[in-house]
Amino acid sequence: MEQEKLNNIVEAALFAAQQPLTLPMLAALFHEEDGVGHEDLARAVETLAQTCEGRGIELVEVASGFRYQVREAVHPWVARLWAERQTKYSRALLETLALIAYRQPITRGEIEQVRGVTVATSIIRTLEEREWIRVVGYRDVPGKPALFGTTRQFLDYFNLKSLDQLPTLAEIREIADPDPQLALAPEPEAAPNDATNPSDPPADAEGAAPADTPSTTEDAA
Amino acid sequence: MEQEKLNNIVEAALFAAQQPLTLPMLAALFHEEDGVGHEDLARAVETLAQTCEGRGIELVEVASGFRYQVREAVHPWVARLWAERQTKYSRALLETLALIAYRQPITRGEIEQVRGVTVATSIIRTLEEREWIRVVGYRDVPGKPALFGTTRQFLDYFNLKSLDQLPTLAEIREIADPDPQLALAPEPEAAPNDATNPSDPPADAEGAAPADTPSTTEDAA
Amino acid sequence: MSTEPLPTEIAPSVQAPPSGAESPRQQEMPLAVVHGQPVLQIPQDLYIPPDALEVILEAFEGPLDLLLYLIRRQNLNILDIPVAEITRQYMDYIDVMQEMRLELAAEYLVMAAILAEIKSRLLLPRPPQEEGIEEDPRAELVRRLQEYERFKKAAEDIDTLPRMERDLDNAQAFVPDRAVVKVPPVVDLREMLLALRDVLHRAELYGHHAVEREPLSVRQRMGDVLRKLGDGTFHRFESLFEVSEGKLGVVVTFLSLLELAKDRLIEIMQEAPLAPIYLKALATAETAD
């Protein structure tokens, strides 16, 4: 067998196998009449490893044999294939975010006063990590509590030009539960990063309910 | 991002993914600041496909996206990695699948009408388990029979991008019949002098008509 | 039409290969093996020896398939089928079939009945006035055979497509690091507003907290101003205004300064009338940058 064909078979086998392959395992793919020796196989593996140079994958030898693997350099991008969508935010987090939006600058203590319950530190941290809120200053009282405000990213995410585009508090109080048509100025484009997740169900999947109602009304009920 | 790095990421992602990836899925791997457009990705895929030339694997586009696969030419060797694999399907299953593919949406009863035999439940179940077919609706007749259609997985499995790529459904072939009046072909006049039709009987070949029919066909003529 | 010279009745050995209709079996593959003997050919008519019945039933996908085979490969004249004989033979099978796959065999019986019906209708003389109205009784069967043949061929074509596992396989590379990237959940603005509504309702239950109408842009600007004053030093009053924002912007900023002063978040200083006004945040974090 020509070395080139041999190389191709070894390449394909290494890519098709679910685990590393040793030289004897590779040798087992060939018939006697193929006339393939161990040196031929070793040469094939070496050639294939070389052709991976400067590419996104590499051919490496590990304890149980040879395998193709994704290079570390590109891993940060590749890993996004398995990006996991976190579970929905809690009601407490949404309330906190809303109060910060409408009452900024506001301290944690003030939020707790309105909500009647403690605001978990994790909620503040999550909102800060998402860069939706930030500390805009400190109140001049004992303990110097941080004052929180919303950010530009917050506006961007909800597709708002300014906070004025949010409904007034009076309007919000009138929102009826079953009413899906909230009189919002700009329809909150279902999250901007929606389409970008490969783990999202295909767009044509049946029952892809419009984002606006079901979960919300369940929560509110 | 440089095209070369982009190529490497796309290459690694396609090799890392368990299923074909679409351009939007690939785009989702990049951050805004990577500044990667669809044309860049399309170029990457094209470049990668070209570098597969003459190798043991190829980069192809199937219904649900792009994937690397083992080339047919080397597959016989690679297949020895797996001792026993069920790769044969019964004629009954293939005929049922063909009817669903070419005549979708179609009910089981309609399949049975064409095939002249009952379609075993196990065949439908196998096709559904393989995710090659799915119920796409119900016909509005008594009993509301399910309408079957094929899936993207079906196309993926048979290395197709779309249903258009299925082999063309064969022309209707003339069935041995002495009577050109039998209105089966759309244009009865065309048939007798159509030299290209191999199923036409030589005009003079069969002089001996069976004794029992002449009056009927004469009537019809 | 009637003036057209049509071939008269001819036996439809239509699928005769060019080599001649006399030797159509030369390239037959063994159909099955019965009692150690290869079954090389299907009987010329529909008679199937009981011994081979099961094998035949398995070799064909049903009566249409069998009939098609007989027509295409054995040059059977479908007009010439000895229906009476076949029907009698089929009836004889019933006993045998009861221990076998009766549901499959039944379909063959139905076909025999169809053939018998066709035959009988062909034999019946038709009144001349019905000429051209009544369809040839064979037409429906021929149509079915043709339709079935197309899909039989389609199934064969699909079977030849290169397919995964048999002809192709996924090419995959190992991913050394399977650390999962977390993508934050999607938040619908409406959800947030509903949450706020509930808070407000709850707050009202507790009897304090009046809700008044106010421009939210002032609230936003309050935060911006506090950020600017975050270094804890004095800032010129004018430095907080952006001319490019126009009158409305100036008003918003001014209102925000008044709100901040009212809330005791900033201090406004003027050393003398008409002297520059300075502002300073009343509290800054020790760690502020």
Side-chain angles (χ1 to χ4, degrees):
Chain A
M1 183 175 287
E2 290 161 31
Q3 185 73 39
E4 196 184 324
K5 175 147 200 190
L6 170 61
N7 292 355
N8 285 351
I9 293 168
V10 172
E11 179 185 38
L14 288 170
F15 275 123
Q18 305 290 316
Q19 70 243 13
L21 299 178
T22 60
L23 289 185
M25 284 162 116
L26 285 168
L29 303 180
F30 297 89
H31 285 291
E32 194 104 327
E33 66 263 30
D34 291 332
V36 170
H38 262 233
E39 329 73 58
D40 303 317
L41 289 169
R43 203 176 314 123
V45 169
E46 198 185 328
T47 310
L48 292 169
Q50 277 165 10
T51 56
C52 284
E53 266 163 38
R55 285 170 52 199
I57 48 163
E58 57 190 339
L59 176 50
V60 297
E61 185 174 10
V62 292
S64 45
F66 296 94
R67 75 172 173 216
Y68 278 106
Q69 64 183 33
V70 169
R71 274 186 203 276
E72 233 183 293
V74 297
H75 185 264
W77 286 269
V78 174
R80 291 180 57 116
L81 281 174
W82 303 282
E84 235 175 43
R85 183 139 286 177
Q86 284 165 328
T87 47
K88 287 184 65 168
Y89 286 139
S90 65
R91 183 44 61 129
L93 181 139
L94 294 174
E95 287 180 7
T96 304
L97 177 61
L99 282 169
I100 293 172
Y102 279 85
R103 284 261 161 247
Q104 60 189 294
I106 188 172
T107 64
R108 190 159 147 184
E110 288 155 4
I111 297 169
E112 289 172 343
Q113 237 178 348
V114 178
R115 292 192 56 232
V117 286
T118 320
V119 172
T121 305
S122 62
I123 286 179
I124 299 292
R125 196 168 46 220
T126 301
L127 290 171
E128 282 184 325
E129 277 170 5
R130 200 139 184 196
E131 298 191 326
W132 282 353
I133 65 164
R134 62 178 180 188
V135 173
V136 294
Y138 297 85
R139 201 176 278 293
D140 190 21
V141 293
K144 297 230 164 91
L147 288 159
F148 295 101
T150 54
T151 61
R152 172 141 300 281
Q153 285 90 326
F154 167 81
L155 293 175
D156 288 346
Y157 185 87
F158 290 105
N159 210 15
L160 303 168
K161 274 213 259 313
S162 78
L163 280 178
D164 282 342
Q165 292 190 318
L166 285 172
T168 64
L169 290 181
E171 283 163 351
I172 286 172
R173 279 199 303 167
E174 301 312 315
I175 302 173
D177 278 281
D179 177 18
Q181 290 319 88
L182 180 59
L184 283 179
E187 184 56 28
E189 300 292 334
N193 58 352
D194 222 11
T196 62
N197 191 330
S199 61
D200 273 346
D204 62 332
E206 311 88 290
D212 54 2
T213 39
S215 55
T216 313
T217 40
E218 256 168 47
D219 279 355
Chain B
M1 183 176 285
E2 289 161 33
Q3 184 74 39
E4 196 185 323
K5 174 145 201 195
L6 171 62
N7 292 355
N8 285 351
I9 292 168
V10 172
E11 180 185 37
L14 288 171
F15 275 122
Q18 307 284 322
Q19 68 246 13
L21 299 179
T22 61
L23 290 185
M25 284 165 154
L26 287 168
L29 303 180
F30 297 89
H31 287 282
E32 193 106 325
E33 63 263 30
D34 292 332
V36 170
H38 263 229
E39 329 73 58
D40 303 316
L41 290 168
R43 203 176 313 123
V45 168
E46 200 187 314
T47 309
L48 292 168
Q50 276 165 9
T51 57
C52 284
E53 265 163 37
R55 285 170 53 200
I57 50 163
E58 59 189 337
L59 175 51
V60 297
E61 185 177 8
V62 290
S64 37
F66 296 94
R67 74 173 173 217
Y68 276 107
Q69 64 186 29
V70 171
R71 274 184 202 274
E72 235 182 308
V74 297
H75 195 267
W77 283 269
V78 174
R80 286 183 204 138
L81 284 171
W82 305 281
E84 289 287 313
R85 278 214 298 193
Q86 172 61 33
T87 60
K88 271 215 180 97
Y89 293 96
S90 69
R91 272 186 56 197
L93 182 139
L94 288 167
E95 285 182 10
T96 305
L97 181 61
L99 273 159
I100 295 172
Y102 285 91
R103 282 270 178 269
Q104 58 189 302
I106 189 173
T107 66
R108 191 156 149 185
E110 287 155 5
I111 298 169
E112 289 174 343
Q113 225 172 358
V114 176
R115 295 192 58 232
V117 286
T118 316
V119 173
T121 303
S122 63
I123 286 181
I124 298 289
R125 199 168 39 217
T126 302
L127 290 173
E128 283 184 324
E129 276 168 6
R130 298 234 56 170
E131 297 189 334
W132 288 350
I133 66 165
R134 61 171 184 186
V135 174
V136 292
Y138 296 87
R139 201 176 279 299
D140 192 19
V141 294
K144 297 245 181 309
L147 287 161
F148 294 101
T150 54
T151 61
R152 272 203 296 225
Q153 285 91 328
F154 160 74
L155 294 171
D156 289 349
Y157 192 85
F158 288 95
N159 208 30
L160 302 169
K161 232 190 286 193
S162 71
L163 283 174
D164 298 342
Q165 292 192 326
L166 278 173
T168 319
L169 198 53
E171 294 288 310
I172 291 176
R173 287 173 70 194
E174 290 292 320
I175 288 278
D177 197 285
D179 186 355
Q181 285 292 83
L182 203 55
L184 294 172
E187 283 170 325
E189 292 86 357
N193 57 357
D194 184 2
T196 61
N197 190 343
S199 63
D200 274 342
D204 60 337
E206 340 282 338
D212 54 348
T213 47
S215 63
T216 314
T217 41
E218 265 164 34
D219 278 355
Chain C
M1 278 297 253
S2 56
T3 57
E4 203 178 331
L6 293 168
T8 48
E9 184 64 14
I10 45 171
S13 60
V14 165
Q15 275 310 291
S19 54
E22 281 66 38
S23 57
R25 282 160 249 144
Q26 57 191 9
Q27 69 274 55
E28 294 304 323
M29 300 285 287
L31 267 166
V33 176
V34 184
H35 300 309
Q37 299 299 311
V39 176
L40 285 170
Q41 66 188 68
I42 291 298
Q44 293 284 351
D45 59 20
L46 288 185
Y47 177 77
I48 300 165
D51 279 353
L53 182 63
E54 199 168 5
V55 189
I56 299 294
L57 291 182
E58 273 169 16
F60 290 96
E61 282 303 314
L64 287 177
D65 194 23
L66 175 57
L67 204 50
L68 201 58
Y69 175 88
L70 295 171
I71 291 167
R72 291 285 188 222
R73 308 290 287 276
Q74 305 284 4
N75 303 309
L76 175 85
N77 182 348
I78 62 163
L79 307 179
D80 212 14
I81 295 166
V83 176
E85 177 66 7
I86 289 165
T87 311
R88 192 188 56 73
Q89 287 166 350
Y90 266 120
M91 299 314 285
D92 290 343
Y93 292 149
I94 289 183
D95 291 339
V96 184
M97 287 171 180
Q98 260 156 2
E99 292 163 32
M100 300 191 326
R101 306 196 297 167
L102 186 57
E103 78 288 351
L104 251 184
E107 287 152 351
Y108 288 84
L109 285 177
V110 168
M111 182 56 66
I114 290 171
L115 292 170
E117 198 228 345
I118 289 171
K119 183 78 165 200
S120 62
R121 283 174 64 196
L122 285 171
L123 288 172
L124 286 175
R126 273 181 292 171
Q129 65 266 29
E130 284 186 23
E131 191 182 307
I133 296 168
E134 194 186 359
E135 205 183 12
D136 188 301
R138 295 160 299 176
E140 174 58 23
L141 177 61
V142 170
R143 226 192 323 267
R144 285 189 68 189
L145 283 168
Q146 287 175 317
E147 181 76 347
Y148 172 68
E149 186 173 42
R150 296 180 81 196
F151 288 101
K152 185 186 161 177
K153 177 70 168 47
E156 288 164 11
D157 289 345
I158 286 179
D159 201 23
T160 61
L161 291 174
R163 63 174 186 243
M164 294 303 267
E165 296 175 300
R166 189 187 66 185
D167 312 300
L168 306 166
D169 259 290
N170 269 323
Q172 289 193 327
F174 184 77
V175 182
D177 181 6
R178 282 261 172 178
V180 171
V181 178
K182 294 231 193 258
V183 174
V186 173
V187 177
D188 185 355
L189 180 56
R190 184 183 156 77
E191 276 180 79
M192 187 187 78
L193 296 175
L194 281 168
L196 181 61
R197 184 201 60 172
D198 291 354
V199 173
L200 295 177
H201 284 329
R202 236 170 35 228
E204 276 166 359
L205 278 182
Y206 286 96
H208 36 230
H209 215 83
V211 174
E212 76 284 1
R213 207 182 174 90
E214 61 176 312
L216 277 168
S217 52
V218 172
R219 292 251 149 227
Q220 191 174 338
R221 186 60 51 92
M222 287 164 73
D224 296 342
V225 169
L226 278 180
R227 289 276 291 179
K228 276 191 188 165
L229 303 181
D231 58 6
T233 64
F234 282 102
H235 288 253
R236 290 280 290 247
F237 178 74
E238 311 89 88
S239 72
L240 296 169
F241 294 88
E242 289 280 345
V243 182
S244 61
E245 288 179 343
K247 261 187 209 160
L248 193 63
V250 171
V251 171
V252 167
T253 304
F254 187 69
L255 286 173
S256 74
L257 294 178
L258 293 181
E259 282 288 332
L260 287 168
K262 195 179 88 188
D263 277 5
R264 295 199 37 77
L265 289 168
I266 59 168
E267 198 176 355
I268 305 177
M269 312 248 308
Q270 190 179 30
E271 298 200 321
L274 300 179
I277 298 169
Y278 286 96
L279 299 156
K280 168 179 180 283
L282 273 178
T284 50
E286 287 74 26
T287 55
D289 45 350

